[in-house]
Structures are given as C-alpha cells and as structure tokens.
Amino acid sequence: MPRIPVHTTDSAPEASRDALKRLEAKYGKVLNIHGEMAHSPAVLHSYVALQDVIREHALLDARVREAIALAVGNQDECTYCQSAHTGGGKAAGLGDDEMIAIRRGEADFDPALDALLNLAREYTAKVGNTSDAAWQAALDAGWSEEQLTELSAHVTLNLLTNYFNHHVHTELDVPQAPEI
C-alpha cells in the first residue's frame, strides 16, 4: 500500500506541474513514481535534472544505462525499477534473456558490460566503496576512466529512484519484470 497518493498534473503542487506534464508526455501517462515524487518539487526536479544532464552529457549509451538500472534495481531489490527498466531495456535493444541475466549478475553474453555491471553492483552494495580489482577489471574490459566516473551518476539516479520507491511504497503500474 503506497504511503502517499499519486498526484495528477492537476492535483500536483504548482511547482511540480510543468515537470510532471513533461514526464506524462514522455511516458504517455503519469507513472506512479512521478506522481508521488510530485509531492515534493525538490524531489521531482532533482530527478528530472539528473535525467536531463545524463541525456545531454552521457558517454554511456541507452543500452548500457538500462543495464546499469537493472543491475542496481536488482541489487536494491526494487521491483518497481526492475519492472520499469525491463521496458526501457527492451526499447534500448536488450533482449529478455539478456535482462534476466543482468539481473542475476550473469551478463557473460557481453564481457565488457559484465565488468561494468560488476562495478555498479559493488558500488551499490558497498555504499560506493568499490574495490581496486573491480575498477581495474572494468578498465581492462575497455571502459575509460571517464565512463567509470560517469557510472556514479547512473548509479546515483537509480539509487534515488530505488530508495524513493522503497520509502513511499510505490505501487507497480508498469508490466512486472519476469521472475529470476
């Protein structure tokens, strides 16, 4: 049961309405997570701003970003984000079997991606305290220092949404991700 109601673009605080309208246009509806974030313009605008900066400046492509989201969502046990990013992963070119493998921590279908996701999982599980071995494995797999630095923004965005969903008990309003 959600802790707070889902705002519509009409019921949201005035300072949240424009951002919520943009998200509604992008996703075809007000997703529960966005309608709940709208309670706090600071939360909604922080989320949107981080997404906008990533979209404008990211070196990592949409497929990799969705893989990171799936890995982090699984690590954090966020059903909502694993489900939402299963849809996003399909749109970014990930197959169903690949997404399940990513969530299981077994992305051996792409060794370079696997090395990056191992670093992302470690980042998540160890509160940012990644090991030299995981960092070096990602470098050895072909990721640049710039990309490994950028990983921070992607993990942070996903931690924001994962923790938010846990905090307010967001109800699933997207197709549920397959069981793993």
Side-chain angles (χ1 to χ4, degrees), residues 114-132:
D114 195 40
L116 183 68
L117 297 179
N118 285 335
L119 186 61
R121 282 185 201 89
E122 192 172 292
Y123 191 116
T124 303
K126 296 184 178 181
V127 196
N129 293 300
T130 57
S131 67
D132 291 340

Side-chain angles (χ1 to χ4, degrees), residues 83-138:
S83 298
H85 290 287
T86 294
K90 285 180 186 179
L94 289 167
D96 292 337
D97 291 342
E98 291 173 322
M99 289 186 284
I100 289 171
I102 288 165
R103 291 171 53 218
R104 285 185 176 147
E106 303 167 355
D108 54 359
F109 60 89
D110 182 337
L113 181 61
D114 195 40
L116 183 68
L117 297 179
N118 285 335
L119 186 61
R121 282 185 201 89
E122 192 172 292
Y123 191 116
T124 303
K126 296 184 178 181
V127 196
N129 293 300
T130 57
S131 67
D132 291 340
W135 180 275
Q136 190 61 50

